[in-house]
Amino acid sequence: MADVASAGGLPIVCAGVAVGHNGTRILADVDLAVTRGNLTLILGPNGSGKSTLLRVLHGLLTPTAGTISWGGASVRPRRHAMVFQRAVLLRRSAAANIRYALDLAGVRGAEAESRIDDALAEVGLRALAGRSARVLSGGEQQRLALARAWALRPEVLFLDEPTASLDPKASRAVEEIVRGIHARGTTVVMTTHNLAQAKRLAYDVVFLHEGRLVEQSPAQGFFNAPRTSEAAAFLEGERL
Amino acid sequence: MGTFSDSLTLAAALVAHLDPRFVDIVALSLRVSLTATALAACVGLPLGAAIAVGRFPGRQALTVLLNAMMGLPPVVVGLVVYLLLSRAGPLGAFGVLFTPAAMIVAQTILITPIIAALSRQVVADAWGEYREQLTSLGAGTFSAALTLIWDTRYSLATVLLAGFGRAIAEVGAVMIVGGNIDGVTRVMTTTIALETSKGDLPLALALGIVLIAIVLIINALAQYTREWARVRYG
Ligand SMILES: Nc1ncnc2c1ncn2[C@@H]1O[C@H](COP(=O)(O)OP(=O)(O)O)[C@@H](O)[C@H]1O
Ligand SMILES: [Mg+2]
């Protein structure tokens, strides 16, 4: 598989980012930098703002306060891709879903077909290439969404709980895929509520609590010796 | 009761023998309403999609207006088109009043808001679901709208069927702008109205039977399309 060419959408830098909705605070005062080559896991309880932070980092949601920049620019780079918590697939075949994304990215013809084949094989869906995407099982849809994102050879890949609806085996398979994508040079930012998975994958952990970035540390340190009481309580609760 | 069963027998004979006068009326009905549906689709579908996806001032007001215009009374549409097309009207020079063309214009105006409003709803629902994904993939507004139209094509097909059903069953607009001229602008609904008042029940009944059959077929088609697409595409 081709390596990911370097492009200018990194680092992603958030400064004092806040997101509000009708007076309620969803994110507050988040300072964060996503650097090239990292695999960052965003952890936190339900409703702590993980999905919202991913949307901000991907440029889908404009912060109500603070600034965000991608490689110094203030517009969303095209070569960042995201896999949403609930896969959104078009009413066409699995292969055609990937073809559609590649077409928008300007990749067509033989190059597109070879990437489609590659990506479907990578997630174990090659046999289902011609199947209508929306009649696939939940786990297959999730893997197809991952294949579609990977086929774009993104500079940064955002994943929102990509294994939430998968059984343990499929979950491990997705982990391996994510690890492989990262190993080929893609910067990965992922949310998960699965601590074991976080430990297996993470280089860097960002811990959110009630919309605030409470702790950002290398994975080892975070899991062994959390610096904040919120993170300690979260790790304790998840262990129970 | 005797008259009714006699009429029914005669009506059945008209249908069975494909009486030429009867066939002409049915054919003109289909031609006018199918053409009107095609024209209304050309305007209504893109309009509905644009309002669903676009960001422009007056979008809300346009939605309210379209929804209100769904209930336009056919006779009022007929009256307005009559005024526009009459000899003294702004479009009188075309001389199309009391021709099938005038009837097509009237029905097109009648059902364009219906097709636009219903397609807006269909496309807006899909947009709510697809928006972030399509934005993430880098689709611009125009390309997103085309994607949504294609992805909802089966729902949109049932929207067109609804428009056609409304057109073929309406009587007020075609009566006023067509004039119900024998052999020229007589369609199923206007003939039923006229023949019933004249007491010629067999022809009226025969046309009534055809009209009901068409409406049934449209509804069956719509339901079948929805079901088929759900199974095939999810
Ligand atoms: N569009 C929205 N409107 C109102 N509240 C929202 C919206 N999106 C998220 N929220 C709220 O913001 C909080 C954080 O949501 P989210 O980022 O989805 O959390 P997480 O992914 O960590 O579970 C939740 O309380 C949620 O209800
Ligand atoms: Mg979430």
Side-chain angles (χ1 to χ4, degrees):
Chain A
M1 242 178 248
D3 261 7
V4 177
S6 56
L10 282 166
I12 307 173
V13 180
C14 290
V17 159
V19 173
H21 186 84
N22 292 339
T24 63
R25 187 193 69 190
I26 300 176
L27 287 179
D29 204 21
V30 173
D31 295 317
L32 174 66
V34 176
T35 50
R36 187 176 301 279
N38 216 327
L39 198 166
T40 306
L41 276 180
I42 301 177
L43 296 180
N46 273 329
S48 56
K50 302 184 295 292
S51 298
T52 304
L53 179 56
L54 271 195
R55 285 186 167 84
V56 169
L57 292 172
H58 190 30
L60 292 176
L61 191 62
T62 309
T64 39
T67 60
I68 177 161
S69 65
W70 295 270
S74 59
V75 288
R76 195 173 89 75
R78 294 212 58 156
R79 295 197 52 239
H80 291 188
M82 177 152 167
V83 175
F84 294 85
Q85 184 162 359
R86 277 194 54 230
V88 182
L89 299 166
L90 303 175
R91 289 190 175 81
R92 50 189 89 188
S93 73
N97 265 277
I98 303 180
R99 195 172 296 118
Y100 174 85
L102 287 172
D103 185 68
L104 280 177
V107 181
R108 304 185 181 97
E111 167 70 8
E113 295 312 309
S114 102
R115 283 206 207 175
I116 291 167
D117 198 52
D118 242 26
L120 285 172
E122 177 88 15
V123 300
L125 287 179
R126 202 188 226 153
L128 300 180
R131 188 78 60 86
S132 194
R134 290 201 170 218
V135 301
L136 297 175
S137 76
E140 288 164 347
Q141 294 198 13
Q142 198 63 39
R143 272 142 68 203
L144 177 55
L146 187 60
R148 176 173 61 187
W150 167 237
L152 295 168
R153 302 292 182 269
E155 178 187 37
V156 181
L157 179 60
F158 299 100
L159 302 144
D160 197 0
E161 310 230 7
T163 60
S165 59
L166 304 184
D167 60 42
K169 185 159 162 279
S171 209
R172 290 301 281 263
V174 164
E175 270 175 44
E176 281 316 305
I177 296 165
V178 170
R179 210 192 299 278
I181 289 173
H182 175 244
R184 292 187 199 100
T186 295
T187 304
V188 175
V189 183
M190 169 172 160
T191 70
T192 183
H193 65 250
N194 180 336
L195 266 195
Q197 176 173 71
K199 283 181 187 165
R200 286 192 294 268
L201 279 176
Y203 287 43
D204 239 350
V205 169
V206 167
F207 179 69
L208 292 184
H209 186 76
E210 292 176 358
R212 290 183 179 277
L213 196 164
V214 173
E215 189 163 338
Q216 177 174 21
S217 16
Q220 194 84 21
F222 179 81
F223 291 116
N224 293 335
R227 281 180 280 119
T228 59
S229 56
E230 289 92 342
F234 175 74
L235 291 172
E236 194 54 42
E238 291 288 318
R239 246 180 232 119
L240 294 178
Chain B
M1 207 56 221
T3 356
F4 183 72
S5 53
D6 289 351
S7 302
L8 208 54
T9 315
L10 286 170
L14 279 176
V15 178
H17 297 129
L18 294 178
D19 178 90
R21 185 161 156 245
F22 159 81
V23 169
D24 283 352
I25 292 170
V26 174
L28 182 65
S29 272
L30 290 175
R31 181 159 75 85
V32 167
S33 296
L34 282 173
T35 312
T37 307
L39 292 175
C42 290
V43 180
L45 279 184
L47 182 62
I51 298 171
V53 175
R55 294 259 153 271
F56 50 87
R59 192 167 145 268
Q60 291 287 31
L62 205 52
T63 305
V64 172
L65 183 69
L66 273 187
N67 285 332
M69 280 173 68
M70 279 179 80
L72 276 182
V75 283
V76 175
V77 173
L79 173 62
V80 171
V81 175
Y82 179 92
L83 292 173
L84 290 173
L85 296 180
S86 67
R87 193 80 54 81
L91 304 174
F94 293 105
V96 292
L97 195 60
F98 304 133
T99 68
M103 299 156 78
I104 290 171
V105 170
Q107 288 196 344
T108 303
I109 291 172
L110 183 71
I111 65 172
T112 296
I114 296 176
I115 290 179
L118 294 178
S119 5
R120 186 207 67 81
Q121 190 60 55
V122 166
V123 174
D125 287 349
W127 185 225
E129 188 194 344
Y130 290 23
R131 159 184 234 139
E132 288 197 321
Q133 181 69 67
L134 294 185
T135 309
S136 168
L137 291 175
T141 307
F142 185 72
S143 128
L146 290 184
T147 302
L148 293 170
I149 288 177
W150 178 248
D151 240 54
T152 56
R153 58 199 179 275
Y154 298 102
S155 306
L156 293 177
T158 68
V159 166
L160 297 191
L161 287 173
F164 174 71
R166 166 91 165 161
I168 194 113
E170 80 69 35
V171 53
V174 278
M175 180 78 94
I176 294 178
V177 302
N180 205 20
I181 303 164
D182 198 4
V184 183
T185 57
R186 219 166 257 194
V187 290
M188 288 192 278
T189 53
T190 58
T191 312
I192 291 172
L194 179 70
E195 298 301 325
T196 304
S197 63
K198 282 193 345 201
D200 180 0
L201 295 183
L203 181 56
L205 261 177
L207 291 169
I209 291 165
V210 173
L211 198 49
I212 286 175
I214 289 176
V215 171
L216 280 177
I217 290 170
I218 292 171
N219 281 294
L221 265 182
Q223 192 176 332
Y224 176 77
T225 307
R226 268 194 297 271
E227 192 56 24
W228 181 82
R230 198 182 57 74
V231 171
R232 174 75 177 76
Y233 291 101

